[in-house]
Amino acid sequence: NMATVYPVTKAESLGAPSLDNDPADPTWTAEIATGSEDSTMSFGKRELTPHPLAKLIKVSEKLLRVSAMDIEGLVISRLAYKFGVTAENAYLNGSGSNQPMGVFTAATAGFGISTARDVSTGNTATAFTTDGLLEALYSLKAQYHPRAQWIFHRDAVKKLRKLKDGEGQYIWQPDIKGGQPDMILGRPYKMSEYAPSTFTAGKYVGIIGDFSYYWIADALNMRVQRLNELYAATNQVGFIGRLESDGMPVLEEAFARVTLSA
């Protein structure tokens, strides 16, 4: 729900949407003139091509028939959960090869977020600091701040809640109005079990960015097909879950990775 999602229903891919460089600033000119031709804007090389994700579960026909529980509903709900967390892991850590490109995966220009967007200034080799988080936050241009959000592992959030600023005030700000997200340095955060949480030299431990610049291409929303006959010989019913998706960050300057000092 933080990303921009595009349904891909008739094409094999979304094309090459990665925006490596914005156009240069326009020039003030006369009414009938066109201004200077731009030579700065460029697009990346990686296409968003939805890749299949699938899982088969076989359940005893007797269990489905006699159980007081809704076994089929349970199977479908757990498949939905597992597909969700697998996709989340890929959007954060995916290699980009037959799967999404993750925001925590160091990439070359045009394929994701390069190491140019790693911010370690102010951090130590084993911990982030208030100054280090400020460095990451303000490495983003002002236009990305209104929609910027942090992503951390819960272990990192536990450490963050203990951090104080120079006046001894905790930088974590609880929701005091009701219905508002908790904040870190004035920006909301999300926790993910798949965000990095190894606090050793040079490792990623968080990210901040405008995640509307993470694009997801979905060709097939998660669905479950019931196979009544295929496994009849073993008195079982099959359930196949399927999903087709791809994703990648399309503008690296909209993100900054919190990195520990090497």
Side-chain angles (χ1 to χ4, degrees), residues 178-261:
Q180 299 297 316
D182 296 335
M183 300 280 192
I184 295 170
L185 296 175
R187 300 309 312 149
Y189 69 89
K190 303 280 189 181
M191 286 192 294
S192 172
E193 288 296 294
Y194 304 102
S197 60
T198 302
F199 284 78
T200 56
K203 296 292 187 179
Y204 298 140
V205 291
I207 191 169
I208 186 168
D210 179 349
F211 285 87
S212 68
Y213 289 100
Y214 191 96
W215 290 5
I216 295 172
D218 283 341
L220 177 66
N221 291 328
M222 188 267 184
R223 69 180 185 184
V224 178
Q225 181 179 9
R226 177 171 172 149
L227 307 176
N228 291 317
E229 307 297 335
L230 186 58
Y231 304 106
T234 56
N235 198 34
Q236 293 175 301
V237 174
F239 296 91
I240 299 179
R242 297 187 186 277
L243 177 149
E244 294 179 12
S245 185
D246 195 9
M248 69 176 292
V250 298
L251 184 62
E252 70 167 19
E253 73 169 28
F255 301 89
R257 285 185 292 239
V258 182
T259 311
L260 298 185
S261 178

Side-chain angles (χ1 to χ4, degrees), residues 55-98:
K55 189 68 174 179
L56 167 65
I57 294 178
K58 292 187 285 187
V59 181
S60 163
E61 176 71 51
K62 182 178 179 179
L63 180 63
L64 288 167
R65 187 179 69 252
V66 304
S67 176
M69 295 176 57
D70 179 7
I71 299 299
E72 180 173 351
L74 178 62
V75 169
I76 292 173
S77 68
R78 298 317 294 168
L79 276 174
Y81 168 76
K82 284 295 187 178
F83 272 74
V85 296
T86 301
E88 178 183 332
N89 190 8
Y91 300 146
L92 293 180
N93 302 301
S95 67
S97 177
N98 294 320

Side-chain angles (χ1 to χ4, degrees), residues 12-216:
E12 292 184 355
S13 74
L14 192 61
S18 174
L19 180 61
D20 282 359
N21 295 288
D22 268 335
D25 294 341
T27 53
W28 296 101
T29 185
E31 179 182 356
I32 60 174
T34 61
S36 58
E37 179 180 350
D38 184 72
S39 60
T40 304
M41 187 176 184
S42 61
F43 292 90
K45 306 173 182 65
R46 185 181 184 275
E47 292 191 0
L48 281 172
T49 304
H51 303 292
L53 187 65
K55 189 68 174 179
L56 167 65
I57 294 178
K58 292 187 285 187
V59 181
S60 163
E61 176 71 51
K62 182 178 179 179
L63 180 63
L64 288 167
R65 187 179 69 252
V66 304
S67 176
M69 295 176 57
D70 179 7
I71 299 299
E72 180 173 351
L74 178 62
V75 169
I76 292 173
S77 68
R78 298 317 294 168
L79 276 174
Y81 168 76
K82 284 295 187 178
F83 272 74
V85 296
T86 301
E88 178 183 332
N89 190 8
Y91 300 146
L92 293 180
N93 302 301
S95 67
S97 177
N98 294 320
Q99 60 181 266
M101 173 64 75
V103 294
F104 286 111
T105 300
T108 56
F111 289 90
I113 303 174
S114 72
T115 55
R117 300 303 302 155
D118 296 351
V119 181
S120 61
T121 304
N123 295 326
T124 72
T126 58
F128 45 56
T129 66
T130 302
D131 287 350
L133 295 175
L134 285 167
E135 291 284 349
L137 174 61
Y138 288 102
S139 72
L140 294 181
K141 294 179 180 178
Q143 58 263 37
Y144 303 119
H145 280 225
R147 292 192 294 186
Q149 298 186 63
W150 303 93
I151 293 181
F152 291 105
H153 189 274
R154 58 190 165 89
D155 290 343
V157 173
K158 181 171 65 175
K159 294 177 183 291
L160 277 163
R161 291 193 62 170
K162 300 175 183 178
L163 285 181
K164 298 179 180 179
D165 61 21
E167 297 180 353
Q169 302 295 316
Y170 288 105
I171 67 170
W172 179 83
Q173 302 160 6
D175 167 24
I176 59 175
K177 296 182 179 179
Q180 299 297 316
D182 296 335
M183 300 280 192
I184 295 170
L185 296 175
R187 300 309 312 149
Y189 69 89
K190 303 280 189 181
M191 286 192 294
S192 172
E193 288 296 294
Y194 304 102
S197 60
T198 302
F199 284 78
T200 56
K203 296 292 187 179
Y204 298 140
V205 291
I207 191 169
I208 186 168
D210 179 349
F211 285 87
S212 68
Y213 289 100
Y214 191 96
W215 290 5
I216 295 172

